[in-house]
C-alpha cells in the first residue's frame, strides 16, 4: 500500500475454510485498486479542467486585494481554486474514514469553485466571470458524469473478473 494508508478489514462470518480470508483480501485489493484508479482519474479531471478556455480565473486563489475586491472575504466564506483542490487531493483531504478517496467530496469543491464566483457577482450573467463560471460548471458536469460512468464500468470489470484484481493489484505495488 501507500505510506500512511490505513484500511479496516471487512468483517466476514467466521468459518473454518480459508475462503473467507481470501474473500477479505480480495475486497481489500479491490478497494485499493478503486482508490488508486479514482486518484488518477480525479487528477486527470483537474488537468482537463485547467486546460478549459475559461479556466484562467479559477486556477489559483483569487487575488482579491490586488483586484480591489475588498468585500470578497465577507461574501465568500470558503474560497477554493483548482490549485488548492489539487493540493488537497494529493494530501488526502478528500479521503473518507477508511482513507479511501471520496469523489463526492472532490466534486463538491469543484462546484464550490464556480458557485463562489457566481455568488460574488450575484449570479449576473452579464459579468464575464459569471459566464466563465457557467462554462466551467458545464464542463465539470460533463466530466463528472463521465467519471461516474467509467468508475461503474471499472468496478463491474473487477467484479466479473476476480483474477484481474490480483493481477492489477500486483502491478500497482
Amino acid at each position: 500500500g501507500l505510506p500512511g494508508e490505513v484500511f479496516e478489514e471487512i468483517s466476514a462470518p467466521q468459518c473454518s475454510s480459508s475462503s473467507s480470508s481470501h474473500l477479505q483480501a480480495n475486497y481489500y485489493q479491490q478497494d485499493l485498486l478503486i482508490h488508486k484508479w479514482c486518484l488518477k482519474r480525479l487528477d486527470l479531471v483537474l488537468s482537463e479542467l485547467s486546460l478549459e478556455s475559461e479556466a484562467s480565473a479559477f486556477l489559483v486563489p483569487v487575488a482579491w486585494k490586488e483586484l480591489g475586491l475588498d468585500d470578497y472575504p465577507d461574501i465568500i466564506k470558503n474560497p477554493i481554486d483548482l490549485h488548492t483542490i489539487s493540493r488537497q487531493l494529493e494530501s488526502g483531504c478528500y479521503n473518507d474514514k477508511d482513507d479511501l478517496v471520496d469523489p463526492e467530496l472532490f466534486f463538491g469543491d469543484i462546484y464550490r469553485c464556480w458557485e463562489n464566483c457566481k455568488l460574488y457577482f450575484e449570479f449576473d450573467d452579464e459579468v464575464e466571470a459569471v459566464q466563465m463560471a457557467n462554462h466551467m460548471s458545464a464542463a465539470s458536469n460533463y466530466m463528472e458524469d463521465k467519471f461516474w460512468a467509467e468508475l461503474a464500468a471499472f468496478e463491474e470489470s473487477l467484479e466479473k473478473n476476480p483474477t484481474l484484481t490480483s493481477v492489477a493489484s500486483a502491478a500497482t505495488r
Side-chain angles (χ1 to χ4, degrees):
L2 299 173
E5 285 186 333
V6 179
F7 294 92
E8 295 178 89
E9 290 189 13
I10 299 170
S11 58
Q14 295 298 324
C15 38
S16 56
S17 81
S18 64
S19 65
S20 72
S21 64
H22 177 72
L23 193 60
Q24 283 181 335
N26 199 39
Y27 282 130
Y28 171 81
Q29 287 177 337
Q30 281 186 359
D31 285 348
L32 187 56
L33 278 174
I34 292 167
H35 171 76
K36 289 180 179 183
W37 184 92
C38 285
L39 284 175
K40 287 181 182 178
R41 298 309 286 213
L42 295 175
D43 191 53
L44 183 61
V45 166
L46 279 172
S47 295
E48 289 176 1
L49 284 172
S50 297
L51 294 174
E52 283 289 319
S53 61
E54 304 292 336
S56 61
F58 308 101
L59 295 175
V60 296
V62 173
W64 58 270
K65 286 180 185 174
E66 291 82 357
L67 294 170
L69 307 175
D70 298 329
D71 58 348
Y72 187 83
D74 297 327
I75 297 170
I76 304 303
K77 301 299 181 193
N78 296 302
I80 194 78
D81 60 273
L82 296 177
H83 179 71
T84 301
I85 293 169
S86 177
R87 284 195 341 257
Q88 290 183 177
L89 181 64
E90 290 170 11
S91 64
C93 290
Y94 299 116
N95 290 5
D96 62 17
K97 64 179 176 51
D98 296 322
D99 207 27
L100 300 172
V101 69
D102 181 345
E104 290 182 11
L105 296 175
F106 169 87
F107 283 110
D109 271 358
I110 292 289
Y111 291 110
R112 187 160 48 98
C113 207
W114 330 134
E115 290 305 308
N116 280 350
C117 176
K118 293 191 268 187
L119 175 65
Y120 183 79
F121 291 106
E122 300 175 339
F123 300 90
D124 183 350
D125 287 328
E126 298 295 316
V127 175
E128 184 181 6
V130 173
Q131 294 170 14
M132 294 168 74
N134 288 334
H135 172 92
M136 294 303 293
S137 182
S140 59
N141 280 334
Y142 170 79
M143 290 178 201
E144 182 180 12
D145 289 346
K146 182 178 169 188
F147 169 86
W148 289 115
E150 290 175 353
L151 176 59
F154 180 68
E155 288 176 331
E156 186 178 326
S157 72
L158 292 176
E159 289 171 17
K160 284 184 176 178
N161 190 351
T163 307
L164 180 65
T165 302
S166 299
V167 171
S169 180
T172 59
R173 285 190 184 133

